[in-house]
Amino acid sequence: MSQMIGKRLLSSVPLLFFIALVAFSLVKLAPGDPVQTFVTPNMSPEDVARIRASLGLDLPLYMQFWIWLKNLLQGNMGFSLMNHRPVLDLVVERIPATAGLMGVSIVLALVMAIPLGLLAGANRNKWIDKLLNLISYVGISIPTFWLSMLLIYLFALKLNLLPSMGMRTIGVESTADVIKHGILPCIVLAFGFLSVYIRYVRSSTIGQLKEDYVQLQYAYGSSRWTILLRHVLKNVLLPIITLLGMALPDLITGAIVTETVFSWPGLGSMMVTAVFQFDYPIIMGVTIFSSLLLIIGNLLADLLYSAVDPRIRNGR
């Protein structure tokens, strides 16, 4: 097991380097110039050139990448061009808001998707299956920003039940206030995850019900729900483990659109602001951080696979 972990970690090094190289090149080659943010009409060309040199933007592209990579290996993600603060500090400050929002949404989606997916798979082509399929298709197809605006219009403007934006009410420092602000964005995110998870659980349930061990349990006189909960559920959870591993970077960057619409002070909204302001240190910092989480998520998924499925553990 330790050898497998070591090999995976070593293989992730060139992968992260390739991701960093591609992301840095795309950011630098994209239209726009961050220097223009600091330029005023009264500035001379010499002043503009001095600003460009102070930011290190007058160097060749490969030199800029080398300096950024060397700083990254030393634990320095650089300084934000707009906020003039270390990128690592900004990322650490925003992580709790995004991780809390996404974590609650994923947990809610899982708690609802597993029983609903089992129910749909066990009643294939019946009315309950068709209804859940319809809900899943709607959740997968509906744009996130549109659903967000719809909920804001209904619950914040019309019914005046929930706040429409932000994480806290000005002057109010309480957990209940944070929860109240997070209800609408959590509903939007959880609905999207729920729609995908139901489809996976349903498909896996249908496949497991065709296996020989299910027919054997029927021959022993076991009821359908006993088979579903005691035997099928264990195998249905395997693809969910993969989904959870893939969802780990979503804890950081998965709420970009939702955070922007609801003005939630997380990494997603900071990433959008950085893109519009050409703040490439923040863009690169969040990109590398999310890529690292994706690699860790895949590794954790493999480890959980080994813990849950004895066949994989014995094979290794």
Side-chain angles (χ1 to χ4, degrees):
M1 183 67 69
S2 59
Q3 292 181 352
M4 185 272 292
I5 296 176
K7 290 180 180 179
R8 291 290 297 273
L9 293 177
L10 287 176
S11 64
S12 65
V13 174
L15 178 60
L16 284 173
F17 176 80
F18 178 75
I19 293 173
L21 180 61
V22 172
F24 194 89
S25 301
L26 291 176
V27 169
K28 288 296 184 177
L29 295 176
D33 186 1
V35 177
Q36 297 301 319
T37 307
F38 303 93
V39 174
T40 62
N42 298 325
M43 279 188 178
S44 64
E46 292 77 12
D47 293 332
V48 175
R50 190 160 43 251
I51 292 175
R52 188 180 301 276
S54 66
L55 298 176
L57 300 177
D58 59 331
L59 300 175
L61 183 61
Y62 70 92
M63 285 296 299
Q64 294 183 41
F65 177 72
W66 169 248
I67 294 174
W68 175 84
L69 182 62
K70 184 172 64 173
N71 291 332
L72 180 66
L73 294 177
Q74 296 174 356
N76 179 14
M77 290 186 174
F79 283 78
S80 169
L81 300 181
M82 302 297 114
N83 298 316
H84 308 291
R85 294 182 56 198
V87 173
L88 184 59
D89 291 349
L90 294 173
V91 170
V92 171
E93 286 179 3
R94 298 274 186 138
I95 283 178
T98 299
L101 184 65
M102 294 299 299
V104 172
S105 303
I106 292 175
V107 170
L108 287 176
L110 279 176
V111 170
M112 298 175 63
I114 292 175
L116 291 178
L118 285 172
L119 183 63
N123 296 276
R124 184 182 183 184
N125 295 329
K126 295 182 180 180
W127 70 269
I128 185 64
D129 181 34
K130 294 179 180 179
L131 177 61
L132 291 174
N133 275 334
L134 176 62
I135 295 175
S136 298
Y137 288 136
V138 171
I140 294 173
S141 304
I142 190 171
T144 302
F145 73 91
W146 188 86
L147 179 60
S148 301
M149 298 300 295
L150 182 64
L151 293 180
I152 290 175
Y153 176 78
L154 179 60
F155 291 100
L157 298 180
K158 283 294 183 180
L159 300 179
N160 197 25
L161 295 176
L162 297 170
S164 60
M165 62 178 60
M167 185 176 174
R168 295 181 183 273
T169 302
I170 298 177
V172 179
E173 296 289 338
S174 66
T175 304
D177 184 62
V178 176
I179 294 175
K180 189 176 180 180
H181 280 79
I183 290 177
L184 290 183
C186 275
I187 290 176
V188 173
L189 293 170
F191 186 51
F193 286 122
L194 176 66
S195 305
V196 175
Y197 292 167
I198 285 179
R199 297 293 300 168
Y200 272 92
V201 175
R202 174 188 179 274
S203 177
S204 183
T205 301
I206 292 174
Q208 291 298 318
L209 289 176
K210 297 178 182 178
E211 297 292 333
D212 293 338
Y213 74 89
V214 174
Q215 305 304 320
L216 184 62
Q217 291 297 322
Y218 276 126
Y220 286 154
S222 300
S223 64
R224 182 177 63 169
W225 285 107
T226 300
I227 296 174
L228 283 173
L229 297 178
R230 289 187 179 180
H231 304 283
V232 174
L233 180 60
K234 298 178 182 178
N235 297 308
V236 166
L237 292 179
L238 291 177
I240 297 298
I241 293 176
T242 303
L243 289 177
L244 289 178
M246 298 296 290
L248 187 58
D250 288 340
L251 291 175
I252 305 301
T253 60
I256 290 179
V257 176
T258 306
E259 286 185 1
T260 303
V261 174
F262 288 99
S263 298
W264 189 265
L267 280 177
S269 58
M270 184 179 72
M271 184 73 164
V272 172
T273 304
V275 170
F276 282 112
Q277 294 179 342
F278 307 109
D279 197 343
Y280 74 90
I282 289 182
I283 298 174
M284 290 301 303
V286 176
T287 301
I288 294 301
F289 195 60
S290 61
S291 301
L292 181 62
L293 285 179
L294 180 60
I295 294 173
I296 294 175
N298 287 331
L299 177 60
L300 291 177
D302 287 344
L303 296 177
L304 289 175
Y305 255 61
S306 300
V308 173
D309 194 337
R311 297 170 298 178
I312 299 177
R313 182 169 61 250
N314 294 334
R316 287 177 176 169

